[in-house]
Amino acid sequence: MSLNRFRRFALVIGVASALGALGVPGAAVADTSTGSSVDTGSAEDLLKAVPPEVIEQLGLGSTGGGSPKVQQCNQSTKSGGQGVTETKHIIGRTGPTSFTLNYDTRIQPDKIDVFYQGRLIRSTGYVGDRINKGKGSIVVNVPPGVANYVTVKVTGPESGTVWDYTVNCPR
């Protein structure tokens, strides 16, 4: 079992009695009249009952889909092509802090969104076209929090899109 998965299970165990009282599948419910308990499902059911944003805000990873690619700050992230590309960037400290995001979306519009603990904290909006090109940089202010990383999602709606960006380490 991975460390993140173990942490998620520990979190779930911590709230299991409250969820059991609510009748959530997977929670053990104590029967005080007999001194026994009733298990209404599995720990996997309990994990599903914890909202994904709670897992993300606690810095324990993601519960759905695949995990995003992980990179250190100051490493360039290259185009994932059309669609949504999600990358987790270790910035080495918790908020509050700030860093510079350098990007180049070339000649097709792409959008770069930066999230911290599950919340959108900065967006470029759609940038890049044949006239204006999409090269630039923005300062990203990270609010107080416990996570030492940000998640960047690039949305490239057009086929053939090419982009790159770098999350610079905070100073």
Side-chain angles (χ1 to χ4, degrees):
M1 177 181 295
S2 74
L3 182 58
N4 270 347
R5 189 145 181 85
F6 176 78
R7 287 178 179 162
R8 281 186 242 149
F9 276 122
L11 169 70
V12 169
I13 298 304
V15 297
S17 61
L19 294 174
L22 296 172
V24 173
V29 181
D31 182 347
T32 56
S33 65
T34 64
S36 64
S37 65
V38 177
D39 183 1
T40 61
S42 70
E44 289 294 327
D45 292 330
L46 280 173
L47 263 182
K48 292 174 189 169
V50 177
E53 56 274 8
V54 171
I55 300 291
E56 174 75 18
Q57 286 174 1
L58 292 172
L60 301 177
S62 169
T63 58
S67 294
K69 183 171 106 176
V70 178
Q71 284 187 221
Q72 296 294 320
C73 53
N74 288 345
Q75 291 181 330
S76 178
T77 304
K78 302 293 183 191
S79 181
Q82 183 178 15
V84 177
T85 302
E86 184 175 333
T87 308
K88 180 176 165 178
H89 297 273
I90 307 299
I91 57 173
R93 63 179 71 163
T94 61
T97 190
S98 63
F99 63 88
T100 302
L101 173 76
N102 300 322
Y103 61 88
D104 188 353
T105 61
R106 314 288 194 296
I107 60 172
Q108 291 176 294
D110 300 297
K111 179 174 70 164
I112 303 173
D113 293 327
V114 182
F115 295 84
Y116 183 66
Q117 295 187 174
R119 292 192 175 105
L120 178 66
I121 59 170
R122 193 72 156 93
S123 179
T124 62
Y126 282 97
V127 290
D129 59 41
R130 294 193 185 283
I131 297 169
N132 299 309
K133 309 265 192 266
K135 193 168 191 166
S137 64
I138 56 173
V139 173
V140 179
N141 294 309
V142 179
V146 297
N148 69 345
Y149 64 90
V150 294
T151 301
V152 176
K153 291 183 184 180
V154 180
T155 303
E158 297 179 10
S159 108
T161 190
V162 176
W163 49 261
D164 65 75
Y165 70 87
T166 301
V167 169
N168 293 290
C169 294
R171 295 182 186 227

